[in-house]
Amino acid sequence: MKRFKTWPRWLQILSTVLCCLGGIGMLVAADYLAERPDGRARTELAQRFEATPRAWLDRPVDVSVLERALASGQVAAIGLDGSRALVTTRAGERWSTELLGDSGLAARLEGLSRERGFALTRVQVDARSPGAKLMDSTGNVLQRLLAVASVALTAFIVVYLVRQGGGLGNNKPQLAEKPTTGFDDVIGATDAKAALQQVTAYMRDPSRYLALGARPPRGVLLEGPPGTGKTLLARALAGECGANFIAVDGSHFSSMFYGAGIAKVRELFATARKNAPCIVFIDEFDGIGQRSSGSQRSSGASEENRIINKLLVELDGFAANEHVVVIGATNHVGNVDEALRRPGRFDLVARVGLPTLPDRRELYRLCLSRVKAADGIDIDTLARSSSSLSQADITNIVNRATVLAAEAGSEQVEQAHLQRALETHQLGGEVSGLKGLMTPQSRERIAVHEGGHAIVAHVLGAGVVERVSIEPRGQALGVTFVSRADELPLYGEAELHGRLGMLLAGREAELMVYGNTTSGAADDLKRASQLAVEMVSAMGFSREFGLLSLPGVPEALVGPQVQDRVLTEARALLERAQAACRAVLEARRERLDALTAALLADEVVGGDKLRALLGSAAVVERLPMPAAA
């Protein structure tokens, strides 16, 4: 064997192939010989029949020929192979016949052989040619080899899948590199970091808590929208505690083999205890599922129950000094089984929210520091325009802007690249093919429409107008970006009236300039109607209902008359907002025309140019409350 390993590679392959061919040849030969007549003692006559059976078989005749030959005494010898008779006449002729049609003749042959004096012997002959016999033997051997290979391949696949599935312990969770990230490296997530501080304090000095009889934390659920940095928070917790880190996801425990999921749970916690202090991070924690009950549950549901039960046992089995904490991250905390969420298991639920305005500023600074960005980028404008975006969204926007700069051949990432990437993300795509279908008249109408939104939003205090675009993206032919100076979910009455006016302003601008309008205001009217109805029925801005909030009233008490009064007062709000935005547009017609011309020239207007066109000292016009209907 050692000498074989020193041979050249081609010689090893050739010798292996020759050995395989030799083995197949031996099997073929053995099969060929095994098909020969059995080893019983043969008479010389039988051997002659069996040696060259083709001499008889190639001349088949009807059984009546045999009967005549027997009657005339011409038969010298007969070899009987079942229902086939090989006949040699006294004249030396050789032929064969089938006795199936005359079974009585076959029974009388032995008696006739004694009476007529011809030889009779039992033979075993093969009607196949030597070539056919060899081919059949080869086929038999190949069938056996294929059967053996199929069994071996099936066994290999089963073993491989079991090992991949973790059923044999080959898919044990691996320790990640010990994190060096700390809470200072996580931007935002203030509430979640505060909730995790008690875990950090315990992991750093458990004796202080154990001396007082405090129960150590077992698990923490991080709940929040996708892309808000839950994984980074878990790594930061491990870094703050100086603990080892294991990361898996909810699907890690799934397997096509019954019982493999339980083995994975056992291996996960065994690895964590062995490497304590340790943080076990389970992403997409709701993927573990919820326990089901009832006799109709499927085998898959039963397996999920067993996995959750095993997870509960492992959590309850933590000793006070094991220094293992499980962090589960989920976008839907309601989908996590209630038994896992009860106190004593996952003790804390930390909410990881979207970044606030200051957080977004820091995120943009951090992301831009990693690329070659131009000086003087207006980060405040980007942060205000990125309301409701997550950390992952902002990272993706900066990366997309870098790609756009590279495609344009720019040496730096400019403000325009960032604005374009932000618009692409918010509006769901690049500039659509509708741009090529726009006529000069339609472009001008869209510019008037968007200019009306911007002028009225600026004057009525609906928010900060960041930029205006007439490039079609997604479902929008144009868009006016308006951000709030204060992102608290607290809206004043004046701001809401201003938003009503802003939503109606595009249609009013078209009416003022062209004397007619288009269907482009359909979405604006829908949103304005929804806001007006909410102001009247739920927000307390109603002269008709006062402090009554209709969503809190039983549906049985909200009849058609109440609904009519809600709609009547909401319509009055819309009409007063319409009158106010029309007055603003008429008073600032020159600014509307200037903004329209700038949009037709540049398609996107923002920054200092937009602020100059809107006016640096806009007067906020407050809309009066509508009188009672």
Side-chain angles (χ1 to χ4, degrees):
M1 180 59 70
K2 293 182 179 179
R3 183 177 299 176
F4 175 79
K5 293 180 179 179
T6 62
W7 291 359
R9 184 67 176 170
W10 66 269
L11 187 57
Q12 294 180 16
I13 296 174
L14 179 61
S15 61
T16 303
V17 171
L18 291 176
C19 289
C20 292
L21 292 176
I24 294 174
M26 294 177 64
L27 289 173
V28 170
D31 189 83
Y32 178 79
L33 294 175
E35 290 189 356
R36 297 192 65 184
D38 58 35
R40 293 180 301 169
R42 296 296 190 196
T43 64
E44 183 180 353
L45 177 61
Q47 292 176 3
R48 286 201 301 268
F49 278 116
E50 294 171 352
T52 56
R54 302 307 311 178
W56 287 268
L57 296 174
D58 289 343
R59 293 189 60 195
V61 299
D62 190 73
V63 69
S64 60
V65 178
L66 175 59
E67 292 176 344
R68 290 194 297 270
L70 289 171
S72 61
Q74 296 178 3
V75 176
I78 295 179
L80 193 61
D81 182 12
S83 63
R84 182 188 297 119
L86 281 62
V87 181
T88 302
T89 66
R90 298 187 186 280
E93 296 178 348
R94 298 178 180 181
W95 36 267
S96 62
T97 186
E98 291 289 340
L99 305 180
L100 292 175
D102 193 350
S103 58
L105 179 59
R108 292 186 290 113
L109 281 179
E110 186 172 352
L112 291 173
S113 68
R114 291 193 295 268
E115 293 177 4
R116 307 294 170 86
F118 62 86
L120 178 66
T121 183
R122 297 285 179 177
V123 296
Q124 291 182 356
V125 297
D126 194 336
R128 296 175 297 173
S129 64
K133 288 185 62 177
L134 182 61
M135 290 299 294
D136 290 344
S137 299
T138 304
N140 292 337
V141 171
L142 291 178
Q143 287 180 358
R144 295 170 188 169
L145 289 176
L146 286 175
V148 173
S150 299
V151 173
L153 180 61
T154 302
F156 172 78
I157 292 174
V158 170
V159 172
Y160 174 78
L161 291 177
V162 171
R163 293 174 69 89
Q164 288 297 108
L168 297 181
N170 193 43
N171 194 27
K172 293 183 179 180
Q174 300 294 321
L175 282 178
E177 183 179 352
K178 184 174 288 189
T180 58
T181 307
F183 287 145
D184 292 339
D185 300 312
V186 181
I187 297 175
T190 305
D191 297 342
K193 286 191 286 189
L196 293 175
Q197 284 296 338
Q198 62 176 278
V199 180
T200 305
Y202 168 77
M203 296 289 280
R204 286 177 175 173
D205 187 12
S207 59
R208 184 175 59 177
Y209 294 85
L210 297 177
L212 296 174
R215 183 181 60 190
R218 303 291 178 86
V220 179
L221 277 179
L222 298 178
E223 191 265 335
T228 50
K230 297 184 286 293
T231 303
L232 182 60
L233 266 174
R235 293 183 62 85
L237 175 62
E240 289 283 337
C241 302
N244 291 309
F245 187 71
I246 299 176
V248 296
D249 57 66
S251 63
H252 170 78
F253 306 105
S254 303
S255 176
M256 64 182 294
F257 298 102
Y258 192 76
I262 299 174
K264 291 181 178 182
V265 175
R266 186 184 303 111
E267 290 168 356
L268 174 65
F269 284 93
T271 303
R273 290 185 176 97
K274 183 179 178 181
N275 296 276
C278 185
I279 301 295
V280 178
F281 177 65
I282 306 177
D283 199 6
E284 305 299 338
F285 191 68
D286 54 295
I288 297 176
Q290 292 185 327
R291 289 183 296 181
S292 58
S293 60
S295 59
Q296 300 299 322
R297 67 189 183 193
S298 63
S299 60
S302 176
E303 178 71 356
E304 287 183 358
N305 291 352
R306 288 158 54 87
I307 291 173
I308 294 174
N309 291 339
K310 182 60 179 176
L311 190 59
L312 296 174
V313 170
E314 293 289 348
L315 285 170
D316 291 339
F318 282 175
N321 58 351
E322 284 187 327
H323 302 164
V324 176
V325 176
V326 183
I327 308 294
T330 176
N331 306 329
H332 309 285
V333 71
N335 293 341
V336 179
D337 191 82
E338 293 184 1
L340 288 170
R341 286 186 286 155
R342 78 156 175 80
R345 288 164 182 165
F346 281 86
D347 304 87
L348 297 173
V349 177
R351 171 72 182 177
V352 185
L354 294 170
T356 61
L357 180 60
D359 295 335
R360 295 197 298 272
R361 291 195 190 101
E362 292 300 319
L363 284 169
Y364 270 112
R365 289 192 183 96
L366 176 63
C367 294
L368 290 172
S369 67
R370 298 170 179 169
V371 301
K372 193 174 182 180
D375 296 331
I377 289 180
D378 189 355
I379 292 179
D380 289 339
T381 298
L382 292 172
R384 287 196 305 269
S385 302
S386 302
S387 176
S388 75
L389 297 187
S390 67
Q391 289 91 329
D393 293 330
I394 292 174
T395 302
N396 182 63
I397 287 169
V398 174
N399 181 69
R400 178 60 183 163
T402 308
V403 173
L404 293 174
E407 291 175 349
S410 177
E411 295 182 355
Q412 293 179 316
V413 179
E414 305 284 350
Q415 184 85 22
H417 301 137
L418 291 164
Q419 296 286 7
R420 180 181 172 188
L422 182 58
E423 290 177 7
T424 300
H425 180 85
Q426 290 177 326
L427 298 181
E430 293 285 353
V431 178
S432 69
L434 294 176
K435 182 176 181 179
L437 302 177
M438 287 183 177
T439 63
Q441 293 80 12
S442 61
R443 289 183 73 249
E444 182 180 1
R445 183 179 283 272
I446 294 171
V448 169
H449 184 103
E450 298 303 331
H453 282 311
I455 295 290
V456 173
H458 181 66
V459 173
L460 297 185
V464 180
V465 183
E466 302 290 355
R467 62 191 183 280
V468 186
S469 171
I470 60 171
E471 289 183 322
R473 296 175 185 270
Q475 300 297 318
L477 297 178
V479 63
T480 299
F481 292 90
V482 180
S483 63
R484 296 186 68 206
D486 184 357
E487 292 187 359
L488 286 176
L490 186 66
Y491 298 89
E493 186 176 0
E495 180 184 358
L496 293 174
H497 283 292
R499 292 182 70 84
L500 280 178
M502 176 194 70
L503 291 169
L504 301 177
R507 182 177 184 273
E508 292 305 313
E510 290 185 51
L511 283 172
M512 186 178 69
V513 174
Y514 300 106
N516 56 70
T517 186
T518 63
S519 63
D523 186 64
D524 296 333
L525 295 177
K526 175 183 175 181
R527 293 162 60 194
S529 300
Q530 290 174 341
L531 177 58
V533 169
E534 289 181 3
M535 290 174 65
V536 170
S537 63
M539 297 182 183
F541 302 135
S542 170
R543 301 272 183 166
E544 180 74 19
F545 298 102
L547 301 179
L548 185 64
S549 177
L550 293 184
V553 177
E555 292 184 6
L557 300 180
V558 182
Q561 293 181 348
V562 175
Q563 296 173 5
D564 289 342
R565 292 163 67 183
V566 169
L567 295 178
T568 299
E569 190 169 0
R571 181 177 177 180
L573 279 180
L574 293 174
E575 289 175 350
R576 289 183 176 269
Q578 180 186 27
C581 70
R582 186 181 301 158
V584 170
L585 291 172
E586 289 175 350
R588 289 161 178 78
R589 174 64 185 268
E590 293 182 357
R591 292 191 180 277
L592 176 63
D593 293 340
L595 181 55
T596 300
L599 286 171
L600 292 174
D602 300 332
E603 295 189 327
V604 179
V605 179
D608 294 337
K609 184 175 182 179
L610 177 61
R611 286 189 285 270
L613 290 169
L614 295 176
S616 58
V619 178
V620 176
E621 299 182 3
R622 297 181 181 272
L623 298 180
M625 286 288 290

